[in-house]
Amino acid sequence: MPTRGVVYVHSSPLAVCQHVEWAMSRALAIPVSLPWTVQPVEPSSRRAECGWSGRPGTAAQIAHELRQWSMIRFEVTEEPSPGCDGERFMHVPSRGLFRATTGAAGDIQIGEDRLRTIIAQSRSPEALSFALDTAMGTDWDTELEPYRYAAEGAPITLLTRAG
């Protein structure tokens, strides 16, 4: 059963943009050409976004390919599909890659066992708050938020995975 998602390249050095397209082409098994625009938060960088469709697990493949370029900021989402949870990947140069399971509304889901472990290991309310923020990727969200806001009204392209 196919699924779909979105790739947001929030910032990429101009010299790396073609490499980002090649990386996505490898993951999607189709040629990719993105509509690059200036990233207002970081004018020397470019930004692009596109929708994709393909089989479950495609977001992980895209994130794997893109993380090879450690200087870029990106997010990759995958909607839930029958028998598969949704996923969200976020990458920022200072933190690396974050992966989370998402629900139908795109919210990050934290499993029962993980919650029990976080509660059991937290020795204070502050430690619990920190552990929950970490599990939800709050620091990644905080770093990406200015880049997301700068993308309001940007064009989006749709890519369909081959095979």
Side-chain angles (χ1 to χ4, degrees), residues 31-147:
V32 171
S33 178
L34 297 174
W36 295 100
T37 59
V38 172
Q39 172 49 267
V41 174
E42 197 176 305
S44 63
S45 292
R46 300 297 180 263
R47 65 158 319 281
E49 60 187 68
C50 66
W52 61 268
S53 64
R55 67 179 188 265
T58 298
Q61 291 174 317
I62 294 170
H64 170 77
E65 290 291 340
L66 292 180
R67 73 184 275 195
Q68 296 176 52
W69 300 98
S70 61
M71 72 288 295
I72 67 173
R73 288 173 181 80
F74 68 84
E75 289 181 83
V76 183
T77 66
E78 180 171 310
E79 293 182 4
S81 57
C84 297
D85 293 325
E87 291 189 296
R88 180 173 168 207
F89 297 86
M90 296 183 283
H91 182 272
V92 294
S94 63
R95 300 192 177 281
L97 188 67
F98 173 84
R99 182 215 165 265
T101 300
T102 58
D107 295 330
I108 290 177
Q109 308 290 302
I110 302 173
E112 179 182 341
D113 287 340
R114 189 163 179 202
L115 281 174
R116 288 183 192 284
T117 300
I118 289 171
I119 292 167
Q121 293 177 349
S122 297
R123 302 289 179 221
S124 68
E126 295 79 15
L128 177 60
S129 178
F130 177 80
L132 290 172
D133 278 344
T134 300
M136 293 185 297
T138 301
D139 289 341
W140 282 262
D141 271 330
T142 299
E143 285 195 42
L144 290 174
E145 193 59 29
Y147 293 86

